[in-house]
Amino acid sequence: MTANSNRVTAGQIAEMLNGTLVGDPEVTVGWVNLIEDAEPDELAFVGSLKEISRISQSRAGIVIVPTEAGDQSDSWPGRTLIFVQHPEVGFLTIAEHIRPPRPRANVGVSPHAVVHPTATVGARTNVHPMAVIERDVVIGEFCDIGPGTVIGAGTVIGDETTIDANAVIYPDVEIGSHCELHAGCVIGGIGFGYRQENGHHVRLPHVGRVRIGDDVHIGSCTIVDRGKAGDTTIDSGTRIDGQVMIAHNCRIGKHNLLISQTGLAGSVTTGEYVVCAGQAGIADHVHLGDHAIIGAKTGVHRDMQGGRAYLGIPARDAAEHAREQMALKRLPDLRDTVKELQKQISGMQEQLDQLNSSDSSGTRDAA
């Protein structure tokens, strides 16, 4: 527990979540934890019926559980339980109440930051020590530019956007309002494009930009390259995890989810609400349709129709991939079956050969 945490009773939690309380309404907690690690002074949750047995082994003072487990409340006598429709959402709501976010500092432009005289920094924006704001940058109001961050010349940033420590924003990038760019991300660097000349790899110019819409989150150490000609774009509402690679001229649609270590080669385009799970790899110039789901470690080399889930290398319909995997699991048994059948066939062939030999001998004797 930390100094800025609040204590709360089971009765108060049930009221805040509009949940059903079973147990002592006066039980008090001052912290939150995972169900297996929680102490009597802590709140925990179980997210589904398949996890419900974990309550018995938990020491948590209060447990938030799914509504559909209400008929099992007698299974845990003496426990304080709160039944809600969405346990994880309720748990995180109370977690923020117990430990509210630290208030935003209002430090202004640090004297230890480097801000070019031609740059414009909006009202109530914080520029932390060692940040570098280059010429002709425009930053909106209520932004936070973390320590060690570099904002390249000509970049434009909307209102209430946070760029954490040591991020690098190359020149002429556009970033919308209400965005979050986490530590160490690199936006707008030159793409990986070369041609071979006289036995050497010669870099191709990349004269495009990166344009990021409103309410976009980009995780730590993610890379978004600038366009070769034209822009790399990330549309509003998209969430990008840490360590994702987005190459030159990709066009990412609204409300996508790109999970850690996903890699998009040049000129990939996506529709709306596309999901790429961890370590998915998308080949260049591929299009992913609206609501397509690309499973973890899937390799995509052609356009994928929207509204479907895909798995495997190469990517194919998830149900088809599952059938293939089930068939592969049966291969050892099938191999044994085939070997046994081969033995039986060999035996039958020997018997048939003997019969044919006997018939031939009988015919010669009769002659």
Side-chain angles (χ1 to χ4, degrees), residues 2 4 24 51 123 196 198 201 220 242 279 320 328 331:
T2 62
N4 65 330
D24 184 357
E51 300 174 341
Q196 198 171 84
N198 299 324
H201 297 297
S220 298
Q279 296 188 338
E320 176 187 347
L328 286 172
L331 277 180

Side-chain angles (χ1 to χ4, degrees), residues 31-49:
W31 200 239
V32 296
N33 211 331
L34 302 175
I35 184 74
E36 60 268 22
D37 298 330
E39 297 293 336
D41 190 41
E42 295 176 329
L43 172 72
F45 82 101
V46 290
S48 65
L49 288 177

Side-chain angles (χ1 to χ4, degrees), residues 194-216:
Y194 296 85
R195 62 182 175 85
Q196 198 171 84
E197 182 178 306
N198 299 324
H200 298 280
H201 297 297
V202 179
R203 185 185 295 279
L204 296 171
H206 287 66
V207 298
R209 302 172 299 164
V210 171
R211 292 189 291 112
I212 298 172
D214 296 332
D215 187 34
V216 171

Side-chain angles (χ1 to χ4, degrees), residues 115-184:
V115 180
H116 196 275
T118 62
T120 301
V121 178
R124 300 288 300 276
T125 284
N126 295 324
V127 180
H128 289 269
M130 308 307 293
V132 176
I133 313 297
E134 297 182 351
R135 73 165 52 245
D136 300 323
V137 168
V138 177
I139 301 175
E141 299 181 351
F142 293 94
C143 293
D144 283 280
I145 309 301
T149 287
V150 177
I151 310 294
T155 290
V156 177
I157 301 171
D159 298 331
E160 299 185 51
T161 284
T162 298
I163 301 178
D164 286 338
N166 297 315
V168 177
I169 313 300
Y170 277 77
D172 301 313
V173 170
E174 292 183 9
I175 302 172
S177 297
H178 307 285
C179 293
E180 295 179 12
L181 279 65
H182 290 275

Side-chain angles (χ1 to χ4, degrees), residues 17-365:
L17 301 181
N18 195 26
T20 301
L21 172 64
V22 174
D24 184 357
E26 298 303 320
V27 171
T28 304
V29 292
W31 200 239
V32 296
N33 211 331
L34 302 175
I35 184 74
E36 60 268 22
D37 298 330
E39 297 293 336
D41 190 41
E42 295 176 329
L43 172 72
F45 82 101
V46 290
S48 65
L49 288 177
K50 67 181 181 181
E51 300 174 341
I52 207 73
S53 62
R54 300 168 73 183
I55 295 175
S56 300
Q57 287 76 43
S58 176
R59 301 179 66 233
I62 304 171
V63 183
I64 299 176
V65 295
T67 302
E68 55 265 33
D71 57 354
Q72 302 181 45
S73 59
D74 293 341
S75 302
W76 304 284
R79 301 303 298 266
T80 299
L81 309 174
I82 298 171
F83 296 87
V84 301
Q85 193 72 30
H86 302 289
E88 183 177 18
V89 174
F91 172 80
L92 293 175
T93 298
I94 301 304
E96 277 203 321
H97 176 80
I98 291 176
R99 186 183 182 183
R102 296 182 184 276
R104 177 180 180 270
N106 184 21
V107 299
V109 178
S110 168
H112 301 292
V114 178
V115 180
H116 196 275
T118 62
T120 301
V121 178
R124 300 288 300 276
T125 284
N126 295 324
V127 180
H128 289 269
M130 308 307 293
V132 176
I133 313 297
E134 297 182 351
R135 73 165 52 245
D136 300 323
V137 168
V138 177
I139 301 175
E141 299 181 351
F142 293 94
C143 293
D144 283 280
I145 309 301
T149 287
V150 177
I151 310 294
T155 290
V156 177
I157 301 171
D159 298 331
E160 299 185 51
T161 284
T162 298
I163 301 178
D164 286 338
N166 297 315
V168 177
I169 313 300
Y170 277 77
D172 301 313
V173 170
E174 292 183 9
I175 302 172
S177 297
H178 307 285
C179 293
E180 295 179 12
L181 279 65
H182 290 275
C185 66
V186 180
I187 311 298
I190 192 168
F192 191 78
Y194 296 85
R195 62 182 175 85
Q196 198 171 84
E197 182 178 306
N198 299 324
H200 298 280
H201 297 297
V202 179
R203 185 185 295 279
L204 296 171
H206 287 66
V207 298
R209 302 172 299 164
V210 171
R211 292 189 291 112
I212 298 172
D214 296 332
D215 187 34
V216 171
H217 295 181
I218 297 178
S220 298
C221 300
T222 282
I223 297 173
V224 183
D225 286 344
R226 67 174 55 247
K228 187 182 297 181
D231 298 334
T232 301
T233 61
I234 300 172
D235 218 332
S236 297
T238 282
R239 304 290 187 255
I240 302 173
D241 200 358
Q243 297 185 327
V244 171
M245 173 69 215
I246 299 175
H248 66 83
N249 293 100
C250 287
R251 295 181 178 269
I252 310 303
K254 293 181 178 180
H255 306 292
N256 282 204
L257 294 175
L258 306 182
I259 315 304
S260 183
Q261 297 184 7
T262 286
L264 277 61
S267 300
V268 169
T269 60
T270 69
E272 297 183 356
Y273 296 96
V274 171
V275 177
C276 291
Q279 296 188 338
I282 318 299
D284 59 283
H285 294 85
V286 162
H287 177 71
L288 307 178
D290 293 349
H291 298 274
I293 299 174
I294 310 300
K297 294 182 179 291
T298 295
V300 180
H301 69 288
R302 58 181 174 83
D303 291 355
M304 293 287 130
Q305 180 181 341
R308 297 169 62 181
Y310 301 91
L311 287 170
I313 303 173
R316 51 207 177 274
D317 182 84
E320 176 187 347
H321 180 267
R323 288 193 298 270
E324 291 175 356
Q325 294 304 304
M326 293 299 295
L328 286 172
K329 288 178 66 175
R330 295 196 299 270
L331 277 180
D333 292 338
L334 289 172
R335 180 176 178 271
D336 293 341
T337 300
V338 169
K339 290 176 70 174
E340 181 61 32
L341 289 173
Q342 286 176 328
K343 287 182 181 178
Q344 294 178 18
I345 291 170
S346 295
M348 294 170 65
Q349 185 64 50
E350 289 178 2
Q351 294 176 13
L352 184 60
D353 291 343
Q354 291 174 0
L355 287 171
N356 289 335
S357 177
S358 298
D359 289 345
S360 297
S361 298
T363 301
R364 286 195 301 270
D365 292 344

